[in-house]
Amino acid sequence: MNSSEPLSPGDQVTTTEPATSAKNAGHSRRVFLFKLSLLLNGAVGTILAVPIVGYLLGPSLKKSSNEDSWIKLGPLGDFPEGETRLVNFRNPVTTPWDGQTGDIPCWVRHISGNDFQVFAINCAHLGCPVRWFAQSKLYLCPCHGGAYYEDGSRASGPPERGLFEYEHKIVAGNLMIRAGKMPTLAARKCSQPKLTQIQPGPTTAAASFAESGRGEEAQSSNGAQSRNSSWPA
């Protein structure tokens, strides 16, 4: 067959079939790779999004349930009478990936018997960690020179008040503290009932008005007597 002769219909079909099949195979391969890339990108995005969403929403979801958590600091035998010791506890509001930042230290003072004091380590001035010096019986702040007595009251320096204390109790021979909230003045004010101001009634107002009137009359009479005594007869 010469190259100039036209191809028969049968020959044309046989020559176009391999090209069509190759084109379809390439198209299906591209579709498969595209879908595979979407699947892999979605899996990577999900893996990255889970910890981020948990980090953002985790504290807010746990806060309501862990605010009133009581944490065990240890048995009473771990705190000798008359001594002050540093104890670490795990913050109940933390998440698993917080690491060591979720460990909070506090000072435990065993006065006598079942009488304890548990102080926050933060200075009441700007929050620097205070240190206990048993020789001088003082808590000292290294940042700005604040000092506190062994009972937590203010001794000297810029702090305007004493150390913050945790609520504590003894359960089955173990010392426990309420660790869901930091022992600040704001937390205490929220838990205390609001004070009501008593308005003076009409009887009180009338009595005060009458008292002021009698005072003015007494002043005027004293002034008249002094003028009469000073005038010549």
Side-chain angles (χ1 to χ4, degrees):
M1 180 182 295
N2 296 329
S3 59
S4 60
E5 294 181 358
L7 296 176
S8 62
D11 294 337
Q12 291 180 357
V13 172
T14 55
T15 55
T16 56
E17 283 180 355
T20 305
S21 61
K23 183 178 180 181
N24 292 334
H27 178 71
S28 62
R29 189 181 299 111
R30 288 194 298 270
V31 172
F32 171 76
L33 293 177
F34 177 73
K35 292 181 178 180
L36 181 62
S37 63
L38 289 180
L39 181 62
L40 293 177
N41 290 332
V44 173
T46 303
I47 295 174
L48 296 177
V50 167
I52 296 176
V53 174
Y55 175 79
L56 296 176
L57 301 181
S60 61
L61 296 177
K62 289 185 177 181
K63 185 176 180 181
S64 58
S65 60
N66 294 329
E67 281 187 348
D68 295 330
S69 298
W70 287 86
I71 304 298
K72 183 176 70 174
L73 296 182
L76 300 183
D78 292 347
F79 310 104
E81 187 172 330
E83 293 187 10
T84 299
R85 290 192 172 184
L86 184 66
V87 181
N88 292 329
F89 65 91
R90 188 71 178 178
N91 189 351
V93 188
T94 55
T95 54
W97 48 81
D98 288 332
Q100 293 184 351
T101 59
D103 296 332
I104 301 178
C106 63
W107 292 107
V108 178
R109 180 193 178 208
H110 188 180
I111 302 174
S112 63
N114 292 335
D115 193 4
F116 286 84
Q117 283 184 299
V118 183
F119 300 109
I121 197 173
N122 306 98
C123 178
H125 178 220
L126 292 178
C128 294
V130 299
R131 295 183 58 188
W132 165 251
F133 292 87
Q135 296 81 3
S136 58
K137 300 293 182 181
L138 290 173
Y139 298 93
L140 299 179
C141 177
C143 295
H144 307 99
Y148 306 87
Y149 295 114
E150 60 179 343
D151 62 350
S153 59
R154 177 186 177 275
S156 63
E160 298 181 355
R161 51 148 295 137
L163 293 173
F164 298 107
E165 291 190 43
Y166 287 97
E167 297 182 30
H168 67 278
K169 63 181 179 180
I170 298 175
V171 179
N174 295 308
L175 179 63
M176 306 186 69
I177 63 170
R178 187 180 181 185
K181 293 181 179 179
M182 289 298 293
T184 59
L185 291 177
R188 292 185 179 182
K189 288 180 180 179
C190 291
S191 61
Q192 293 178 355
K194 296 182 179 180
L195 299 177
T196 56
Q197 185 178 2
I198 301 177
Q199 299 293 336
T203 305
T204 307
S208 59
F209 179 76
E211 185 66 25
S212 61
R214 287 195 296 268
E216 292 178 356
E217 291 178 358
Q219 290 179 359
S220 61
S221 61
N222 292 334
Q225 291 178 1
S226 60
R227 287 194 299 269
N228 291 335
S229 61
S230 61
W231 289 345

